[in-house]
Structure formats: structure tokens, C-alpha cells
Amino acid sequence: MGTERLRTQMSVEASQDSAAAPSSSFGPLRQIDAGLLNVGYVDVGPAEGPVVVLLHGWPYDIHSYVDVCPALAEAGYRVIVPYLRGFGTTRFLSDETFRNGEQAALALDVIRLLDALEIESAILAGFDWGARTADVVAALWPERCRGLVSVSGYLIGSQDAGKLPWPPEAERQWWYQYYFATDRGRAGYGRYRRDFAKLIWRTASPKWRFDDATFDRSAASFENPDHVDIVIHNYRWRLGLAEGEAEYAELENRLAEAPVITVPAITLEGDANGAPHPEPSAYADKFTGRYSHRTIEGGIGHNLPQEAPEAFAQAIIDVDPH
């Protein structure tokens, strides 16, 4: 196990004083039925290359990876980037399906997507919700995960853990989680979701100077008709204020035991992450396979793949060289 500090080409001063222009688009968006969903995703790189699945977080979308994908494709990887349930063009196949945001449901979406695409195993990488989802898949279905890159490390949780109080300063960082627990918060997020997301982007990445075009490109994905339901359920479920579904109970019971992750893994953290996140030392022992941690320097915040795409892509290449 090793720990590294890597400095990106972007200096702190540059991240403070310059605007990041949007990169080119991914190209055509594809759709496929997978489990409960019709999933919108991009598929770039050689069709026969080792597969990488990149998972975004909230309130972000697939464009967090718009600069990661070309580097991986050039290195010979086939890169799949799906919209999570409740984002972009991903839709539920049935109006009757419960809009569930619990961690096991999101992880099973990935397994069903792999099945639909006839992919036996893939490198999984993500941040925020995407990191948690990748962690869950790696822990519960290691045979489907060749390697793992996870921003902020081990994020698997449980409702029991979510009920435990934290010191006041830590609780303050989760203000929106408690806001979402109220009817006022649900209504407020539904009405002001773009303003809300921009506030989170700014506080979670205080040194990232994104421009309006960059934000608007991702914010369009929040107009998904299921977005508010999924976001509110996700945070209420974590606090034990909303029930999950019986079909996921056995998986959630296993996750509540905080299973170790045995696949090769690299965890990443930005040196200016303004979102709540654990210290690397707190989760190092949860990775029992080949493992290392990298702190990415240069004013890098929560949206690490978009703020430091070269470092993120390199971690994927290093975790499972082919």
C-alpha cells in the first residue's frame, strides 16, 4: 500500500483566475434497456478494448468525464459513461416502479447495464454517488470489477450508520441532507435545482472556476422527470427517514457490515475538496487487495475527474494495466 501526492498541471493560481471552457462533446448518445431502466450512455474507444465504466455523482452528470474519455480511448480502453437513474436521458421503463435512490439499487443498475451490454467485467471508477456505487459493486460482485478507482475512498454506508450523530462542524457540512428531509426542502430543490446545484459546485470545489457553459451543459441533466424523486429518496434513505425496497434488503444487510474490497484499487482525493469526505487513513484498511492512495494537488475539489482529468485517467490506466 502506498500514498502519493500528485500535482496537476493546473496551478492553484490558474484555477482561481481562469475559466475552464467546455470541452467537445462525447459524440452520439446511446440508449439501452437494462433492468428497470432505459439507460442513456456514451460508448467511446475501441470496441474490443478493456472496458471502463465511469460513474458520475450528484449534482453532476456524464460531462464530468468529457476530458477523461479521450485519454482512455487513446490508451486502448472502451469507455462506458452512463447517466445514473434520475439524470439525463435515463428513464424508468415503468411508471409504476418506485423511484428508489438507495445505494444497492444504484449498484444493481450497473450490474444490469453490464449484463445488457454483454460485458463480463470492467474497471469501475467514480466520484460522489458514483464512487459509492463503484465501491458497492466491487465489494458485492468482485468478479464483475477488474479494478476500482474511487474518489474519497470507501463510501459504503448503512442506515444505522447514518443515524449516528457527528460533531457540530461535521453536521453543518451536511446542511442540504437535513433540508431534503423536509417538505420545504423537497419543494425548494424541485423549484431551484439549478441554483442549488451551482451552489454545491462552488462550495464543493472552491478553487474551480467553471464557466456558465460548463455548468449549463451538466445542469440540463437535472430536468429528468425522476430527478427530484431520486435525489430526495437517496438522502432521506441514508438518514433512515425513508424506506428502501424489500428486494434490496439482503444486499443492504451485507453492506451494513462494511465489507472489504478485494479488487485492485486506487483511491483519490483533491487537495481542495470542499465537500464532506473521510480522511484516507480512515478507510485504507477496507482495501485488502493491491491498493494505493493519491492526493491530487493544485486546488482540486470534489469533481475531481473534471478538474484533474489527466490524473483521473492515469489512475485508471495504473489500476489495471493491459
Side-chain angles (χ1 to χ4, degrees):
M1 182 178 71
T3 300
E4 304 170 69
R5 300 187 72 86
L6 303 179
R7 191 161 191 86
T8 68
Q9 292 181 352
M10 179 183 69
S11 68
V12 174
E13 291 78 15
S15 69
Q16 291 172 335
D17 297 335
S18 65
S23 301
S24 60
S25 66
F26 291 108
L29 190 68
R30 307 186 185 195
Q31 300 287 146
I32 191 170
D33 288 350
L36 302 174
L37 304 171
N38 177 261
V39 179
Y41 69 102
V42 295
D43 186 341
V44 301
E48 302 305 317
V51 179
V52 178
V53 177
L54 304 178
L55 302 169
H56 68 81
W58 170 87
Y60 306 93
D61 83 329
I62 62 174
H63 291 94
S64 290
Y65 298 107
V66 73
D67 292 320
V68 175
C69 287
L72 294 177
E74 186 176 348
Y77 292 92
R78 178 187 177 190
V79 189
I80 309 293
V81 193
Y83 281 112
L84 302 185
R85 55 170 61 191
F87 292 79
T89 61
T90 292
R91 297 289 189 274
F92 285 88
L93 295 175
S94 171
D95 291 339
E96 304 304 315
T97 303
F98 178 60
R99 274 35 179 178
N100 187 337
E102 68 181 288
Q103 61 184 353
L106 291 167
L108 200 54
D109 288 345
V110 175
I111 295 297
R112 289 165 172 165
L113 178 62
L114 293 176
D115 290 344
L117 293 172
E118 299 182 347
I119 295 170
E120 185 174 333
S121 65
I123 301 168
L124 300 180
F127 73 105
D128 195 84
W129 288 19
R132 178 177 296 104
T133 302
D135 288 348
V136 171
V137 174
L140 297 184
W141 297 280
E143 71 279 4
R144 308 301 298 270
C145 181
R146 291 178 42 166
L148 172 70
V149 174
S150 178
V151 176
S152 298
Y154 187 91
L155 298 178
I156 295 172
S158 69
Q159 285 189 316
D160 285 343
K163 295 174 183 177
L164 296 175
W166 293 343
E169 181 62 25
E171 296 280 17
R172 184 180 67 84
Q173 292 184 297
W174 285 108
W175 66 272
Y176 55 87
Q177 183 165 274
Y178 305 117
Y179 180 63
F180 288 162
T182 69
D183 290 341
R184 179 187 178 92
R186 180 190 181 90
Y189 186 62
R191 183 173 181 178
Y192 299 109
R193 69 190 78 175
R194 282 179 175 249
D195 295 332
F196 202 102
K198 186 171 285 189
L199 175 62
I200 296 295
W201 279 35
R202 286 172 174 163
T203 56
S205 299
K207 296 183 179 180
W208 181 36
R209 295 296 179 257
F210 57 88
D211 61 15
D212 287 342
T214 299
F215 175 77
D216 290 343
R217 183 180 57 184
S218 288
S221 72
F222 311 149
E223 299 306 316
N224 182 296
D226 303 308
H227 180 75
V228 174
D229 286 341
I230 294 297
V231 171
I232 296 300
H233 185 264
N234 178 285
Y235 286 102
R236 289 185 180 181
W237 180 88
R238 291 194 210 182
L239 292 175
L241 301 176
E243 296 294 327
E245 291 182 278
E247 65 183 282
Y248 303 112
E250 189 271 335
L251 296 177
E252 293 294 357
N253 288 337
R254 291 169 60 188
L255 294 172
E257 297 175 356
V260 297
I261 292 174
T262 59
V263 305
I266 294 175
T267 58
L268 303 174
E269 191 58 82
D271 66 341
N273 185 359
H277 61 279
E279 290 297 320
S281 59
Y283 53 71
D285 63 355
K286 303 306 296 182
F287 298 92
T288 60
R290 176 166 50 85
Y291 170 68
S292 65
H293 175 78
R294 300 174 181 179
T295 297
I296 311 303
E297 299 184 332
I300 305 304
H302 189 59
N303 186 5
L304 193 149
Q306 197 163 3
E307 298 175 62
E310 292 180 3
F312 193 87
Q314 190 60 54
I316 291 168
I317 293 168
D318 292 344
V319 80
D320 182 40
H322 68 284

